[in-house]
Amino acid sequence: QVQLVESGGGLVQSGGSLRLSCAASGRTFSTWVMGWFRQAPGKEREFVAAVNWSGHETYYADSVKGRFTISRDSARNTVDLQMNSLKPEDTAIYYCASKTPWGGYYTDDTKYAYWGQGTQVTVSS
């Protein structure tokens, strides 16, 4: 079976940094789009960032642009999310997800077929 596992979440002060990592196992998805979504209490799940198969095309939500960086190592089936200048409003469960490379739809969570269990990120004031 396909499994995505996130790691790197935790508690950090406002202005601090965290680096999340997602590892794929069970089979290779090196040509698939990899994305990060997040969900805060009482909020709907929202798109954070995505990267295509080559790692040369990236997409970011306006709320994180300039602060977060997504990258991938297709050979190792891993994708990272470097989060800098964290704010309390970044507090959420962060999910790694994967979808086919066809047709774009990078920000649409319904297009992603596989999901990790999530990792908690808490940013204190």
Side-chain angles (χ1 to χ4, degrees), residues 56-73:
H56 298 312
E57 295 183 10
T58 57
Y59 306 85
Y60 297 95
D62 288 341
S63 60
V64 307
K65 195 172 299 181
R67 299 189 297 121
F68 291 10
T69 302
I70 188 171
S71 61
R72 74 184 300 166
D73 185 338

Side-chain angles (χ1 to χ4, degrees), residues 67-86:
R67 299 189 297 121
F68 291 10
T69 302
I70 188 171
S71 61
R72 74 184 300 166
D73 185 338
S74 294
R76 295 175 174 81
N77 287 328
T78 60
V79 59
D80 290 351
L81 185 70
Q82 178 65 46
M83 305 185 295
N84 298 327
S85 301
L86 283 162

Side-chain angles (χ1 to χ4, degrees), residues 41-112:
K43 303 288 186 178
E44 64 182 0
R45 186 164 58 191
E46 66 175 349
F47 169 77
V48 176
V51 60
N52 79 336
W53 69 270
S54 70
H56 298 312
E57 295 183 10
T58 57
Y59 306 85
Y60 297 95
D62 288 341
S63 60
V64 307
K65 195 172 299 181
R67 299 189 297 121
F68 291 10
T69 302
I70 188 171
S71 61
R72 74 184 300 166
D73 185 338
S74 294
R76 295 175 174 81
N77 287 328
T78 60
V79 59
D80 290 351
L81 185 70
Q82 178 65 46
M83 305 185 295
N84 298 327
S85 301
L86 283 162
K87 307 172 182 179
E89 49 264 47
D90 294 317
T91 295
I93 300 175
Y94 283 70
Y95 297 92
C96 175
S98 182
K99 81 175 193 73
T100 67
W102 317 112
Y105 305 103
Y106 297 109
T107 67
D108 187 351
D109 60 348
T110 69
K111 301 298 184 180
Y112 286 76

